[in-house]
């Protein structure tokens, strides 16, 4: 699939210069990694044709609003909370799961707003997070050798030939489930669910820690007091306390899908399958098809940055995707690991700062801290996640830059996938409710605890500086 010639006739694997005209399909002239091998190209073309005329999921003005918010976050005026599943599943497009995920994001954002005294930008890894990069194309040996699971947009995780066969029609289902999810997210954000006057609706079902409950309750009480006071002294109710906005994001991985949702607007091309597409570590190389694809979008874009990211390459990528040096256009999502961040992040910050690119720096403390238990389960330790985040705050402060957000894998469900946290989950407990087919997520209680930990860290930093 990656070798299909593009409509402007550039053949596969040529290396066009960046001066070449960008089109929604110009990525086809570059090497596209992590793409599934579909058996039937005609079927893929039919699906893409159908998707290309479907209503978009988001609008250009929402995308522009998010870009403006991210620009402010890069200046320390807002804080970005980006979170959700590593991979959404088709059969988890359920009202309870969506509402619980929203609830935990809402609760975390409340803690952050109150603790940091900053508006929080809520971005979900949802309504499109259906495709995954994998380290190997195949799993198993000989007769048992099957394509790897690449997310529900491509195939199914069961280890059978039928389940693992990539099918283009799954992209139609991914679009439909994304639309259903976003529709519900928008409805919940509009009305009673997110009304700050009724935080009792955001109960803490899964939180067992008394301390966490008490701390949360005292924030809720303080907010209610403030609202009542303001509404008592002001004759008109404060607007927007009864609704909240959520933006959507996903890894822009499967390029025919992303291309189908690339629509031309008066001021340029927008990917309208999501507000905030990001490029993962395995596809974000300078000459990659993925960088070529996002180069021409008006959307804000995220770029994952790991320990092996070279500062010079990263500068070249920024020159390519953000030649105008527009605040809010690029968010760098560093994911280095608690043990490596100290050696890697400072020189990257120095290099990017001196390049003059006004990026928003955020930290993904999940993906550099993955390990495998003796039982073969992928897990992450709460204390390593917390440590990477705290170090990121310190390093940015020492370098005179700003950590403007956090990127977490989490769920509103009571899963046991990461160890540690208030409930003291240990490796032996992980089997109790381990559900992820890919990466381990913070459960609702651990996620809320992480929000308190961020606030605690920022308060300590402020009091040290003061
Ligand atoms: C992810 O965010 O799920 C992911 C695969 O991240 P990365 O590209 O940083 O490994
Ligand atoms: Co992941």
């Amino acid at each position: 699939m990656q070798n299909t010639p593009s409509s402007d006739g550039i053949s596969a694997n040529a290396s066009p210069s960046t001066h070449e005209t960008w089109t929604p399909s110009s990525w086809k002239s570059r090497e596209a990694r992590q793409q599934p091998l579909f058996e039937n190209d005609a079927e893929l073309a039919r699906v893409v044709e159908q998707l290309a005329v479907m209503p978009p999921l988001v609008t250009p003005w929402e995308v522009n609003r998010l870009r403006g918010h991210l620009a402010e976050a890069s200046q320390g005026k807002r804080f970005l909370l980006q979170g959700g599943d590593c991979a959404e599943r088709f059969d988890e497009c359920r009202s309870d799961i969506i509402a619980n995920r929203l609830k935990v994001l809402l609760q975390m954002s409340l803690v952050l707003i109150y603790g940091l005294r900053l508006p929080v930008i809520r971005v979900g890894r949802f309504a499109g997070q259906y495709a995954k990069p994998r380290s190997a194309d195949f799993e198993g040996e000989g007769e048992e050798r099957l394509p790897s699971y690449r997310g529900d947009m491509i195939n199914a995780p069961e280890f059978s030939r039928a389940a693992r066969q990539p099918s283009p029609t799954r992209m139609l289902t991914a679009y439909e489930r994304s639309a259903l999810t976003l529709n519900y997210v928008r409805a919940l954000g509009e009305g009673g669910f997110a009304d700050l006057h009724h935080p009792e609706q955001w109960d803490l079902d899964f939180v067992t820690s008394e301390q966490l409950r008490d701390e949360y309750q005292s924030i809720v009480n303080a907010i209610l007091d403030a609202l009542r006071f303001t509404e008592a002294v002001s004759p008109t109710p404060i607007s927007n306390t009864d609704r909240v906005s959520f933006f959507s994001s996903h890894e822009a991985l499967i390029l025919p899908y992303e291309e189908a949702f690339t629509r031309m607007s008066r001021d340029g091309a927008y990917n309208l399958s999501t507000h905030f597409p990001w490029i993962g570590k395995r596809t974000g190389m300078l000459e990659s098809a993925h960088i070529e694809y996002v180069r021409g979008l008006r959307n804000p874009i995220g770029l994952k940055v790991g320990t092996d990211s070279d500062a010079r390459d990263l500068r070249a990528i920024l020159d390519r995707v953000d030649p105008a040096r527009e605040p809010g256009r690029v968010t760098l999502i560093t994911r280095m690991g608690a043990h490596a961040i100290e050696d890697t992040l400072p020189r990257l910050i120095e290099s990017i700062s001196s390049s003059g690119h006004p990026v928003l720096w955020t930290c993904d403390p999940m993906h550099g801290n993955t390990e495998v238990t003796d039982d073969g389960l992928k897990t992450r330790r709460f204390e390593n996640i917390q440590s990477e985040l705290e170090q990121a705050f310190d390093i940015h402060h020492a370098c005179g830059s700003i950590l403007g957000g956090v990127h977490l894998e989490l769920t509103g469900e009571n899963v046991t996938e990461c160890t540690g946290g208030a409930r003291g989950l240990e490796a032996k407990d992980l089997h109790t409710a381990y559900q992820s087919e890919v990466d381990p997520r913070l459960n609702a209680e651990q996620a809320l605890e992480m929000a308190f930990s961020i606030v605690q860290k920022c308060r300590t930093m402020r009091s040290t500086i003061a």
Side-chain angles (χ1 to χ4, degrees):
M1 189 179 78
Q2 71 234 39
N3 290 335
T4 331
S6 66
S7 53
D8 54 3
I10 300 164
S11 63
N13 301 326
S15 186
S17 80
T18 51
H19 303 299
E20 217 149 301
T21 315
W22 180 90
T23 70
S25 62
S26 56
W27 60 268
K28 289 178 179 167
S29 63
R30 307 279 175 127
E31 187 196 354
R33 298 195 184 180
Q34 296 287 340
Q35 305 300 293
L37 290 166
F38 292 115
E39 271 183 343
N40 187 334
D41 280 351
E43 193 183 17
L44 172 64
R46 255 194 320 274
V47 166
V48 168
E49 212 173 289
Q50 284 181 53
L51 290 174
V53 293
M54 296 275 184
L57 297 173
V58 304
T59 62
W61 44 96
E62 288 171 344
V63 171
N64 291 341
R65 187 153 54 90
L66 175 62
R67 201 180 46 246
H69 288 346
L70 296 172
E72 290 181 11
S74 70
Q75 295 151 5
K77 297 177 189 155
R78 289 181 188 264
F79 192 79
L80 170 65
L81 169 62
Q82 186 175 12
D85 291 321
C86 181
E88 288 180 280
R89 304 295 315 276
F90 288 167
D91 62 5
E92 288 180 356
C93 180
R94 287 177 12 188
S95 52
D96 55 344
I97 291 183
I98 296 169
N100 283 339
R101 188 172 43 210
L102 229 49
K103 196 170 74 178
V104 74
L105 284 170
L106 209 52
Q107 288 170 334
M108 291 173 79
S109 70
L110 206 63
V111 170
L112 293 170
I113 292 167
Y114 188 76
L116 307 182
R117 301 286 193 260
L118 284 176
V120 167
I121 313 163
R122 301 175 198 86
V123 175
R125 283 174 64 117
F126 54 50
Q129 180 54 19
Y130 286 112
K132 295 309 298 173
R134 300 318 299 258
S135 39
D137 285 343
F138 290 91
E139 275 172 18
E141 297 288 325
E143 289 284 283
E144 292 291 292
R145 193 165 173 271
L146 295 177
S148 298
Y149 170 59
R150 291 187 170 275
D152 281 8
M153 184 188 282
I154 302 303
N155 55 7
E158 293 73 37
F159 197 74
S160 75
R161 196 154 296 279
R164 291 294 178 89
Q165 179 56 46
S167 163
T169 55
R170 284 179 159 269
M171 288 189 203
L172 293 169
T173 313
Y175 163 70
E176 286 159 10
R177 301 284 152 123
S178 301
L180 295 171
T181 302
L182 207 54
N183 180 55
Y184 193 43
V185 167
R186 289 183 190 282
L188 289 175
E190 269 305 303
F193 178 84
D195 190 340
L196 273 183
H197 298 85
H198 297 289
E200 70 279 4
Q201 291 173 1
W202 316 341
D203 50 41
L204 298 169
D205 291 346
F206 302 137
V207 178
T208 53
S209 156
E210 280 301 320
Q211 191 193 340
L212 215 55
R213 279 178 170 269
D214 289 350
E215 285 181 52
Y216 182 75
Q217 198 52 51
S218 66
I219 289 181
V220 165
N221 293 344
I223 289 172
L224 277 177
D225 275 352
L227 272 179
R228 285 192 198 112
F229 173 77
T230 319
E231 287 174 357
V233 295
S234 150
T236 43
I238 333 170
S239 62
N240 287 337
T241 48
D242 59 348
R243 63 183 67 152
V244 288
S245 56
F246 287 91
F247 296 96
S248 71
S249 69
H250 68 246
E251 177 170 355
L253 185 67
I254 306 301
L255 292 173
Y257 181 87
E258 305 301 333
E259 180 186 334
F261 285 100
T262 308
R263 311 287 168 88
M264 300 313 288
S265 175
R266 240 175 315 158
D267 59 339
Y270 286 80
N271 180 328
L272 297 181
S273 70
T274 186
H275 300 107
F276 189 24
W278 84 80
I279 300 300
K281 228 190 74 58
R282 293 179 181 81
T283 51
M285 289 63 73
L286 177 62
E287 300 298 340
S288 68
H290 290 78
I291 292 296
E292 171 59 18
Y293 170 66
V294 292
R295 170 168 84 91
L297 298 177
R298 288 293 298 140
N299 300 62
I301 57 166
L303 298 175
K304 291 286 197 100
V305 178
T307 44
D308 54 355
S309 298
D310 175 76
R312 230 172 338 148
D313 278 358
L314 189 54
R315 284 168 70 140
I317 291 170
L318 292 176
D319 287 344
R320 197 167 288 186
V321 299
D322 183 30
R325 291 171 155 68
E326 188 182 359
R329 161 70 173 153
V330 180
T331 297
L332 295 181
I333 308 164
T334 64
R335 31 89 81 222
M336 294 169 170
H339 304 293
I341 183 170
E342 192 184 356
D343 290 334
T344 325
L345 186 58
R347 58 186 167 74
L348 270 185
I349 296 177
E350 272 160 38
S351 170
I352 302 308
S353 302
S354 65
S355 77
H357 281 287
V359 299
L360 165 60
W361 289 97
T362 68
C363 174
D364 162 1
M366 311 300 290
H367 287 87
N369 291 310
T370 314
E371 52 189 292
V372 180
T373 65
D374 293 342
D375 300 348
L377 283 178
K378 259 189 180 185
T379 192
R380 290 157 174 162
R381 298 174 202 223
F382 186 92
E383 60 270 27
N384 287 344
I385 299 169
Q386 188 177 27
S387 161
E388 180 167 355
L389 250 181
E390 291 185 352
Q391 291 182 67
F393 275 110
D394 286 333
I395 293 168
H396 278 285
H397 179 65
C399 295
S401 99
I402 294 168
L403 182 68
V406 59
H407 181 122
L408 298 168
E409 286 185 341
L410 55 83
T411 169
E413 303 305 301
N414 192 13
V415 300
T416 53
E417 296 172 3
C418 292
T419 60
R423 213 179 299 180
L425 283 179
E426 294 177 28
K428 65 176 172 41
D429 305 318
L430 296 181
H431 286 287
T432 326
Y434 196 103
Q435 289 170 15
S436 178
E437 284 294 336
V438 273
D439 288 340
R441 302 158 295 177
L442 295 171
N443 62 30
E445 183 170 28
Q446 291 168 326
L448 191 61
E449 198 179 350
M450 196 57 72
F452 277 110
S453 155
I454 293 170
V455 167
Q456 188 57 47
K457 176 67 190 166
C458 291
R459 287 205 173 141
T460 313
M461 285 175 69
R462 278 180 200 165
S463 63
T464 321
I465 301 161

